[in-house]
């Protein structure tokens, strides 16, 4: 029996016996306009209850807050000034040629050196010696101000922490390689909530909201109350050959949907294109199969460090440490037995 | 730098120096604005947050979520340990012919499971579906393995305790022809609960460690030792309360060993953690609980060592260490839930380990990648 998270091939490896193409999103934040159509379409299609009390959160145009049980797409808004944009451009430049083994030439020699510690002198390293596709890489004028907008979603990890730790088998890997909760199985134990390194999945607990003014608490229709909920990558639409609601509604094609391999290819050529235009702040998030979660089904193109968007910079699936933890616990348990034995031997006196 | 007339409405930005200072070292709990305070700000005021090179976050919002585990789970962590270690005590007592200790330890084990299992069920989002836990056996899920351990343990402990109760009542339970069956099952049942006792006490540490919650994840190398020590001292504390001193000798020794193990393991656990991950174990309500846990454990241990042969001192010492164990469990649980509220505890350790790997020349395992050059 294989462990759920150990299969690169998330389709066949998950026991489906056939190899559907793995599906995924490519969210290109560089063309997101922050219209939140994806949030709305997601809510409507999935009949997700209202989240919170309709407050103004004071975070630019983001009054949604974060992903959660009732919010499966979340559009982040970040306001940045010129200095911060320049820093983003610099940190993105340092990523050139790092990561993603097996795709493109990574001539071991130049990749590692000075990657972490290089200070101001790095700027000259990449792009210096006549590479293919010699495009104009002079950075465009740095704007004085910019908005970053990014539609976040469940990453549908290759090695999904939520899936690994679910004790009921409610979380499953679908034939599309996505991760879905079976709401009729889930008993709401909440283990998956802590298992997700991205803080995506959540238990749908409180279905009531307080309406504005003095109307008091209002009951709303809350499906799947008390169970864990998250993005299903519109499993119900996929089985009918449809596109997920968010991707279908996105007016700028910032959210793209398709075979995961194609998504990664598109993402790689898009980040390349932006770098060629001098927008070195562009970088990919989740496209690397070697990362702590084995690559994500939802790939992102970001324009600054992941932290800025509220994404963890080095997420690792907790279960990667599980064998070591079981070993430690075994030693501890043996110690406990030994201490008890000692107590009885010593207690004879 | 004014771009348009509307920029005049932008409130003045706080001086940058203040931000800088806040980043390093300042450990006061008031360091962060609560989410409530965030709700009153506006977009402009947030801008300096992302100017911070070393630490940026999305409006200070949490990155990972803590499981929705409340007081019932804290109670379960405590009584699960009591049950597991009591079964071991009972087995030792049976082997060394200490009938009172054996009986009391077995009854304690059953009582603990009888309290802990409903607590576990009560904290489910859909308690009526608790049997779904037994649909699968999943080695990657400590919760799944733990449920099976608990089920096996509870069956064994239940039979063993039933036999004890029957004996206690002078064989007056209306068992009829089942009495010989119970007598014969008693030994094997007790053996089952003995074998599963230590795993029952230890698995909860893996359950917490196997999460993305920074304080629990960071504590994963030491937490099993804390939890088994805590279990041992709780069970022996309760045995010291319930059992005459003549038979409670091993419980006293185990209590002292447990106290030593608990204090040492807790300190070593904290040392093995990133300071930001360890901080919730030392500050706030959770930190207070853990400090009292240590004081009570040490006091109870010393009392046991010096006056454990006096029935009253033994009982007081036992109560102290058992309380210490409960405080430890609640403290660790709450520290983890607290730790997710500050995104720095997630972001900074992750960023540091990423930069460390990059500095060592490992550059192919980052989730963030640029274009191939
Ligand atoms: S992002 Fe979280 S909820 Fe989504 S698949 Fe990965 S671990 Fe599960
Ligand atoms: S809450 Fe539901 S989906 Fe999450 S781990 Fe528990 S049973 Fe599985």
């Amino acid at each position: 029996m294989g462990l759920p998270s150990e299969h690169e091939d998330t389709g066949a490896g998950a026991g489906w016996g056939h190899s559907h193409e793995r599906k995924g999103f490519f969210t290109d934040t560089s063309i997101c306009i922050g219209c939140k159509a994806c949030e709305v379409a997601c809510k409507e299609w999935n009949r997700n209850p209202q989240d919170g009390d309709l407050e103004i959160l004071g975070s630019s145009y983001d009054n949604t807050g974060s992903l959660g049980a009732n919010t499966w797409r979340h559009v982040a808004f970040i306001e940045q000034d010129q200095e911060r944009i320049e820093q983003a451009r610099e940190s993105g430049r340092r990523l050139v040629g790092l990561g993603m083994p097996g795709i493109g030439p990574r001539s071991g020699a130049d990749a590692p050196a000075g990657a972490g510690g290089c200070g101001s002198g790095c700027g000259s390293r990449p792009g210096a010696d006549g590479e293919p596709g010699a495009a104009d890489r002079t950075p465009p004028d740095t704007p004085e101000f910019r908005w970053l907008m990014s539609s976040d979603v469940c990453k549908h990890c290759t090695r999904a922490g939520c899936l690994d730790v679910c004790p009921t088998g409610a979380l499953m890997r679908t034939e599309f390689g996505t991760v879905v909760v079976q709401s009729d199985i889930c008993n709401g134990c909440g283990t998956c909530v802590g298992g997700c390194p991205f803080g995506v999945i959540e238990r749908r607990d409180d279905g009531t909201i307080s309406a504005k003014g003095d109307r008091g608490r209002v009951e709303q229709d809350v499906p799947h109350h008390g169970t864990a909920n998250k993005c299903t990558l519109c499993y119900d639409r996929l089985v009918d050959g449809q596109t997920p609601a968010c991707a279908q509604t996105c007016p700028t094609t910032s959210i793209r949907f398709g075979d995961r391999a194609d998504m990664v290819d598109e993402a790689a050529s898009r980040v390349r294109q932006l770098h060629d235009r001098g927008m070195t702040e562009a970088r990919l998030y989740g496209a690397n199969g070697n990362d702590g979660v084995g690559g994500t089904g939802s790939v992102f193109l970001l324009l600054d460090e992941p932290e800025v968007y509220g994404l963890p910079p080095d997420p690792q699936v907790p279960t990667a440490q599980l064998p070591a933890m079981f070993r430690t616990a075994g030693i501890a348990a043996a110690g406990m037995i030994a201490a008890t034995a000692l107590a009885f031997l010593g207690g004879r006196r | 730098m004014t771009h348009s007339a509307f920029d005049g409405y932008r409130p003045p930005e706080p001086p940058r120096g203040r931000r800088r200072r806040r980043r390093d070292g300042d450990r006061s709990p008031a360091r962060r604005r609560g989410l409530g305070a965030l709700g009153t700000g506006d977009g402009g005021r947030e801008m300096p947050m992302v100017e911070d090179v070393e630490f940026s976050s999305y409006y200070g919002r949490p990155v990972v979520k803590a499981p929705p585990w409340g007081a019932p789970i804290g109670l379960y962590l405590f009584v699960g340990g009591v049950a597991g270690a009591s079964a071991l005590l009972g087995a030792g007592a049976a082997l060394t012919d200490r009938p009172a200790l054996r009986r009391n330890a077995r009854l304690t084990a059953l009582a603990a499971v009888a309290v802990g299992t409903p607590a576990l069920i009560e904290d489910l989002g859909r308690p009526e579906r608790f049997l779904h836990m037994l649909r699968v056996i999943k080695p990657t899920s400590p919760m799944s393995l733990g449920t099976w351990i608990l089920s096996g343990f509870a069956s064994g402990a239940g039979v063993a305790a039933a036999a004890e109760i029957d004996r206690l009542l002078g064989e007056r339970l209306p068992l009829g022809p089942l009495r010989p069956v119970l007598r014969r099952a008693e030994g094997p049942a007790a053996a089952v609960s003995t074998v599963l006792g230590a795993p029952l006490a230890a698995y909860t540490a893996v359950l917490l460690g196997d999460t993305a919650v920074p304080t629990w994840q960071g504590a994963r190398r030491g937490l099993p030792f804390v939890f088994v020590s805590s279990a041992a001292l709780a069970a022996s504390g309760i045995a010291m309360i319930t059992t005459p001193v003549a038979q409670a000798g091993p419980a006293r020794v185990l209590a002292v060993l447990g106290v030593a193990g608990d204090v040492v393991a807790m300190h070593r656990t904290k040392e093995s953690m990133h300071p930001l991950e360890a901080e919730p174990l030392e500050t706030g309500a959770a930190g207070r609980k853990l400090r009292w846990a240590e004081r009570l454990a040490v006091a109870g241990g010393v009392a046991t060592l010096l006056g454990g042969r006096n029935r009253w001192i033994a009982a007081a010492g036992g109560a102290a260490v058992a309380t210490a164990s409960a405080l430890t469990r609640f403290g660790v649980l709450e520290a983890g839930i607290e730790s997710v509220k500050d995104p720095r505890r997630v972001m900074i350790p992750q960023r540091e380990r990423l930069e460390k790997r990059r500095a060592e020349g490992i550059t192919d395992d980052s989730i963030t990648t640029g274009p191939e050059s």
Side-chain angles (χ1 to χ4, degrees):
Chain A
M1 192 187 70
L3 304 184
S5 75
E6 284 192 344
H7 296 279
E8 252 304 304
D9 178 0
T10 46
W16 285 93
H18 61 84
S19 212
H20 260 267
E21 280 306 317
R22 181 178 179 190
K23 299 293 183 192
F25 285 124
F26 167 40
T27 307
D28 181 354
T29 71
S30 68
I31 51 174
C32 177
I33 54 170
C35 68
K36 300 188 198 172
C38 50
E39 277 190 22
V40 176
C42 176
K43 279 252 178 193
E44 276 200 313
W45 179 260
N46 294 298
R47 296 169 187 263
N48 283 345
Q50 178 184 324
D51 218 353
D53 287 344
L54 301 178
E55 311 144 290
I56 302 295
L57 298 184
S59 39
S60 194
Y61 286 93
D62 173 13
N63 294 307
T64 309
S66 61
L67 292 175
N70 303 337
T71 301
W72 299 351
R73 271 272 176 198
H74 163 235
V75 180
F77 282 76
I78 301 110
E79 302 173 14
Q80 291 191 333
D81 66 359
Q82 191 165 21
E83 190 189 341
R84 197 66 188 84
I85 301 169
E86 272 157 13
Q87 283 164 4
R89 218 160 250 182
E90 179 56 33
S91 70
R93 212 196 322 269
R94 272 186 253 143
L95 291 170
V96 174
L98 297 190
M100 294 244 273
I103 314 176
R106 198 168 70 84
S107 56
D110 69 337
C118 91
S120 52
C122 304
S124 60
R125 194 170 57 82
D129 26 52
E131 292 158 359
D136 177 18
R137 293 195 173 186
T138 16
D141 284 344
T142 312
E144 286 176 326
F145 180 85
R146 70 169 173 176
W147 256 303
L148 298 179
M149 286 153 283
S150 162
S151 181
D152 196 10
V153 69
C154 168
K155 317 296 177 292
H156 294 281
C157 311
T158 309
R159 308 191 61 196
C162 62
L163 173 62
D164 281 351
V165 301
C166 172
T168 64
L171 270 156
M172 64 155 189
R173 179 79 68 185
T174 72
E175 64 270 42
F176 303 105
T178 56
V179 180
V180 171
V181 188
Q182 304 170 77
S183 46
D184 53 339
I185 302 295
C186 173
N187 64 13
C189 71
T191 317
C192 53
V193 179
C196 172
F198 299 95
V200 170
I201 195 167
E202 192 180 31
R203 192 167 79 185
R204 186 173 283 170
D205 274 327
D206 188 3
T208 62
I209 48 151
S210 67
K212 282 256 177 290
D214 52 7
R215 275 175 287 165
R217 306 294 284 183
V218 181
E219 279 297 329
Q220 48 175 347
D221 179 25
V222 181
H224 312 316
H225 184 254
T227 67
N229 282 272
K230 72 170 192 72
C231 160
T232 66
L233 216 134
C234 282
Y235 188 34
D236 46 352
R237 293 167 71 104
L238 294 201
V239 292
D240 268 350
Q242 300 289 311
T243 303
C246 54
Q248 182 153 346
T249 204
C250 179
T252 63
T253 68
S254 170
I255 301 175
R256 262 167 273 179
F257 164 79
D259 293 348
R260 198 242 175 199
D262 296 344
M263 294 295 106
V264 172
D265 286 349
E266 268 185 46
S269 65
R270 175 69 178 157
V271 73
R272 171 100 212 191
Q273 188 186 22
L274 289 175
H275 271 249
D276 282 348
R277 286 195 209 155
M279 291 179 64
T280 54
E281 63 266 44
R283 68 204 72 194
L284 300 184
Y285 187 80
N288 185 355
N290 265 359
D291 65 26
V293 294
T296 61
S298 316
V299 177
F300 297 82
L301 185 143
L302 306 179
L303 297 180
D304 203 337
E305 296 285 12
E307 289 100 319
V308 170
Y309 296 87
L311 294 167
D314 189 36
Q316 312 242 335
V317 61
T319 32
Q321 306 293 337
L322 198 53
M325 280 188 263
F326 277 136
R327 262 198 306 280
T328 314
I331 295 169
M336 181 180 177
I337 293 170
T340 314
L342 194 69
F344 278 96
L345 296 178
R348 272 189 185 290
R349 279 177 288 136
Chain B
M1 177 175 84
T2 297
H3 316 295
S4 77
F6 297 110
D7 276 1
Y9 294 115
R10 194 178 288 282
E13 291 173 14
R16 307 248 323 267
R18 199 165 59 86
R19 294 266 163 193
R20 289 275 145 77
R21 230 178 306 121
R22 202 203 213 199
R23 173 176 78 230
D24 36 55
D26 186 355
R27 284 289 166 86
S28 70
R31 160 186 86 270
R32 267 185 68 239
R33 276 176 299 169
L35 286 182
L38 279 173
T40 61
D42 69 351
R45 200 172 298 159
E46 291 297 333
M47 286 181 55
M49 190 63 124
V50 289
E51 282 176 9
D52 215 53
V53 189
E54 302 200 9
F55 171 64
S56 24
S57 84
Y58 187 68
Y59 301 105
R61 297 216 177 106
V63 184
V64 298
K65 292 186 166 64
W69 293 341
I73 297 292
L75 180 65
Y76 173 73
L77 294 178
F78 169 60
V79 296
V82 170
S86 290
L88 286 182
L89 269 184
L95 289 175
T96 57
D97 196 27
R98 290 180 166 88
L101 179 61
R102 185 201 64 213
R103 183 196 62 214
N104 292 346
R106 285 183 179 172
L107 292 180
T108 306
L110 179 65
V113 188
V115 171
T117 310
L120 205 55
I121 293 172
E122 131 87 18
D123 215 50
L124 295 175
R126 300 290 286 261
E128 79 280 10
R129 293 185 183 168
F130 70 95
L131 280 177
H132 287 196
M133 291 282 190
L134 303 181
R135 283 176 79 238
V136 288
I137 299 184
K138 224 168 130 181
T140 55
S141 169
M143 183 66 112
S144 169
L145 293 185
T147 310
W148 283 102
I149 292 172
L150 175 66
S151 310
F153 180 93
S155 322
V159 171
E164 293 292 352
I165 293 171
D166 186 40
R167 217 171 318 166
L168 196 62
L169 300 178
E171 311 214 328
R172 271 197 295 264
L173 281 188
L175 288 174
L178 285 179
R179 178 158 293 114
V181 179
L182 182 65
R183 283 277 168 271
R184 215 162 308 138
E186 182 185 351
V192 167
S193 63
T194 308
V195 168
L196 293 177
L200 181 66
Y203 94 86
T204 43
V206 181
L207 176 69
L208 299 188
D210 188 26
T211 58
V213 174
T215 293
W216 294 342
Q217 192 183 43
R220 66 180 183 274
R221 288 179 218 91
L223 207 52
F225 298 100
V226 176
F227 275 22
V228 294
S229 309
S230 184
L233 66 85
S236 29
I238 292 174
M240 282 157 59
I241 299 174
T242 56
T243 310
V245 285
Q247 291 196 16
R252 290 194 295 272
V253 179
L254 189 60
V256 173
L257 289 176
V259 169
D262 186 58
V263 172
V264 172
M266 197 57 170
H267 278 273
R268 301 207 41 181
T269 303
K270 283 193 222 162
E271 278 162 26
S272 73
M273 297 165 74
H274 191 284
L276 278 170
E277 293 169 343
E279 195 183 34
L281 294 169
E282 288 162 345
T283 55
R288 213 159 33 242
K289 285 199 177 71
L290 289 169
R291 271 194 304 281
W292 272 106
E294 183 170 333
R295 281 178 207 144
L296 279 175
V298 171
V302 169
T304 309
L305 211 52
L306 299 182
R309 290 181 183 280
N310 175 308
R311 188 75 176 84
W312 293 106
I313 297 180
V321 292
T323 313
S325 170
L327 285 172
T328 302
R329 308 312 180 98
F330 277 93
V332 170
L333 180 75
E334 287 168 18
I337 288 169
E338 181 65 28
S339 70
V340 302
K341 293 183 185 156
D342 188 341
R344 295 181 315 147
R345 303 194 204 288
V346 180
M347 300 286 204
I348 293 180
Q350 287 195 13
R351 174 54 70 179
E352 283 177 5
R353 73 185 180 212
L354 176 66
E355 297 298 344
K356 185 158 165 275
R357 289 205 307 272
R358 281 188 184 160
E360 284 166 359
I362 307 167
T363 55
D364 62 353
D365 62 354
S366 164
I367 192 165
T368 317
T369 48
E372 292 78 48
S373 52

